[in-house]
Amino acid sequence: MPTLSHASIFFFFFSLLFPSLHFANSQSFIGINYGQVANNLPPPEATAKLLKSTSIEKVRLYGADPGIIKALANTGIGIVIGAANGDIPALASDPNFAAQWVNSNVIAYYPASKIILITVGNEVMSSTDKNLMSQLLPAMQNVQNVLNAASLGGKIKVSTVHSMAVLTQSDPPSSGAFDPATSDTMRGLLEFQRNTGSPFAINPYPFFAYQSDPRPETLAYCLFQPNSGRVDSGNNIKYMNMFDAQVDAVRSALNAMGFKEVEIVVAETGWPYSGDANEVGPSIENAKAYNGNLIAHLRSMVGTPLMPGKSVDTYIFALYDENLKPGPGSERAFGLFKPDLSMTYDVSLSKSSPVRFESIF
């Protein structure tokens, strides 16, 4: 039997301990949001080339832009497309409209363009529009029926995206709970998702949590930096970062309603690198720390305390700044890349850059 060098032995045991840390060219759990509320974005073909140079394997669109969907054809990159809130009434009431929508936005491009998920509506369940809430499930069902008829039901999932406001309680994470006032509607959505194997999509933003509690200890907790942690009084689990705490609050809420098998997807999370003078938290340093440490945390495959040993699919917000978005300055400063395709700051997503890992030893 040949002898092994010390380096070979180390690498052998390292690979046994951390089999998924090999290098980041195939990490399907890292995605990115591609918003288009801007007038200075590069052409879709240039964006597709940029994405292929990174370890990003999934892209979430807020609509179904045909130019982008075509540009991503034959790249192997998974695509999430969205039906707007304004489309929900027609999708819910008219199966023919649903068929037309799916034919135009999915079947016309699939499978060359690897559409993996359709999100029907955005943050509907935390809106004040009760009518739209009641139409959400029928809209999702009609879209699913069209996919089933085209033999795509098991290949393309149908979901909707929620803000963290869909929880009435999230601290401590073990107390996570949905709004009792909308529990019947939520239960119907979750039964649909359990039956179809579609993920529960949520938008956790530690950035907003820090804005409401701007202490140095809270910032470290939000940025995955060394901190004293926070103990969940319900189960004595110590949380070392806000992202895990927010995701586990959603896990607790799903479990409490009896939907332990419904998977979670993080549809949006990020940190702005700039903002208005009165905004707390935006900076290049903080944005690089949050997104870089988040990516390292996902790559470590540690998972969360309630979902250990796996990484939740996470779509970082965002690919580019959206210079026409309304609101505070931070709304226009989430982009990891600039319109000229250069990096705003480096979080080790390039296939040619070294992979950063958390301090796991």
Side-chain angles (χ1 to χ4, degrees), residues 37-357:
V37 187
N39 61 6
N40 61 350
L41 298 180
E45 295 75 17
T47 296
K49 188 175 180 181
L50 169 67
L51 289 168
K52 285 180 70 178
S53 74
T54 74
S55 51
I56 296 165
E57 293 215 348
K58 296 177 181 178
V59 173
R60 178 183 169 219
L61 309 179
Y62 290 83
D65 185 286
I68 297 172
I69 295 172
K70 286 179 192 171
L72 292 171
N74 304 309
T75 61
I77 294 170
I79 307 167
V80 180
I81 62 170
N85 289 1
D87 288 330
I88 289 173
L91 288 171
S93 62
D94 186 354
N96 289 328
F97 180 85
Q100 184 181 7
W101 194 95
V102 172
N103 285 330
S104 299
N105 297 307
V106 180
I107 294 172
Y109 308 109
Y110 189 88
S113 296
K114 188 181 170 185
I115 296 165
I116 56 174
L117 178 67
I118 299 168
T119 58
V120 177
N122 191 48
E123 301 189 351
V124 172
M125 290 299 293
S126 52
S127 73
T128 56
D129 192 333
K130 304 291 186 189
N131 193 40
L132 201 62
M133 288 184 202
S134 68
Q135 294 173 315
L136 182 55
L137 177 57
M140 292 167 66
Q141 289 171 326
N142 281 340
V143 170
Q144 184 71 49
N145 290 341
V146 180
L147 292 173
N148 291 346
S151 300
L152 295 176
K155 297 171 183 175
I156 301 172
K157 305 297 184 183
V158 178
S159 188
T160 188
V161 179
H162 304 283
S163 78
M164 285 297 291
V166 78
L167 299 183
T168 51
Q169 189 154 334
S170 61
D171 187 26
S174 62
S175 71
F178 294 117
D179 186 349
T182 59
S183 62
D184 288 346
T185 304
M186 182 62 77
R187 184 172 296 280
L189 289 172
L190 291 172
E191 285 173 351
F192 166 86
Q193 296 194 260
R194 176 165 60 193
N195 292 340
T196 60
S198 86
F200 186 87
I202 191 75
N203 295 342
Y205 274 94
F207 168 66
F208 295 123
Y210 172 63
Q211 286 195 311
S212 63
D213 178 18
R215 294 175 296 160
E217 175 72 11
T218 301
L219 182 62
Y221 184 65
C222 289
L223 297 181
F224 302 84
Q225 292 174 335
N227 66 92
S228 58
R230 299 184 180 182
V231 176
D232 186 322
S233 58
N235 55 20
N236 288 323
I237 289 172
K238 181 183 272 194
Y239 282 84
M240 299 309 296
N241 67 79
M242 177 69 77
F243 178 82
D244 283 357
Q246 290 186 330
V247 172
D248 273 0
V250 176
R251 181 74 271 160
S252 295
L254 291 168
N255 293 355
M257 283 191 76
F259 293 94
K260 292 183 178 182
E261 60 277 81
V262 173
E263 297 275 346
I264 294 171
V265 161
V266 171
E268 269 183 43
T269 191
W271 198 286
Y273 64 83
S274 180
D276 296 332
N278 63 346
E279 290 191 85
V280 178
S283 72
I284 287 272
E285 183 182 38
N286 288 348
K288 182 175 181 176
Y290 180 75
N291 287 317
N293 289 333
L294 169 65
I295 290 164
H297 183 54
L298 296 171
R299 285 174 173 162
S300 76
M301 296 293 282
V302 169
T304 72
L306 297 186
M307 294 180 289
K310 63 176 183 176
S311 288
V312 170
D313 283 6
T314 299
Y315 293 79
I316 297 169
F317 189 85
L319 183 56
Y320 302 117
D321 291 342
E322 295 175 84
N323 66 339
L324 300 181
K325 285 191 86 169
S330 60
E331 286 291 314
R332 296 175 291 283
F334 277 87
L336 297 186
F337 294 90
K338 298 176 183 177
D340 66 3
L341 307 179
S342 65
M343 289 183 289
T344 309
Y345 50 88
D346 188 2
V347 288
S348 299
L349 282 174
S350 170
K351 285 181 180 173
S352 61
S353 67
V355 177
R356 287 179 54 202
F357 298 118

